[in-house]
Amino acid sequence: VQLVESGGGSVQAGGSLRLSCPASRYTYSRYCMGWFRQAPGNEREGVAAIDSDGTRSYAGSVKGRFTISIDSAKNTLYLQMNSLKPEDTAMYYCAAGKGVVTMSPHRYNYWGQGTQVTVSS
């Protein structure tokens, strides 16, 4: 499973970004997909996850602002991030893991290299 994130960048608070993570149709049908982030000095934390049945889960800090989705036609996982805050600044990672939707990074086996998101106040 190969995962490559894109779409990160620098925005002002209140702005939006959309992260992308293309993968094969096989990957989406077999794995739970998640977005994680890690800021310097912090542990990696789950942001959003979606499983093969379409069940979604969000971290409380992003609920109502971020949306995880899969475009089946493009075989791409997305994370739409709206109303961004400075505390959203981090490296964001796409990951794939077996089983039901979960926000625990330990349940994910495959990881991308990350894309940086920086939100200025």
Side-chain angles (χ1 to χ4, degrees):
V1 177
Q2 291 187 324
L3 303 171
V4 180
E5 307 90 339
S6 63
S10 297
V11 296
Q12 290 190 329
S16 298
L17 285 172
R18 188 178 73 165
L19 306 183
S20 301
C21 180
S24 68
R25 188 185 304 272
Y26 171 85
T27 299
Y28 297 134
S29 67
R30 291 284 303 273
Y31 293 92
C32 174
M33 304 299 299
W35 286 100
F36 293 80
R37 66 187 181 187
Q38 187 168 18
N42 291 354
E43 293 186 352
R44 191 167 296 188
E45 64 173 351
V47 175
I50 183 170
D51 68 12
S52 57
D53 292 329
T55 301
R56 293 170 171 84
S57 180
Y58 295 94
S61 60
V62 307
K63 196 170 293 184
R65 300 189 297 123
F66 291 10
T67 301
I68 188 171
S69 63
I70 295 173
D71 186 329
S72 299
K74 297 182 179 179
N75 291 329
T76 301
L77 174 74
Y78 294 105
L79 183 68
Q80 178 67 45
M81 304 185 296
N82 299 328
S83 302
L84 282 161
K85 303 176 181 180
E87 50 264 44
D88 294 318
T89 295
M91 185 72 77
Y92 282 71
Y93 299 89
C94 169
K98 288 291 186 69
V100 298
V101 66
T102 177
M103 303 288 278
S104 172
H106 304 292
R107 295 285 300 277
Y108 289 77
N109 306 104
Y110 303 97
W111 294 84
Q113 83 291 348
T115 185
Q116 179 67 38
V117 172
T118 303
V119 185
S120 58
S121 57

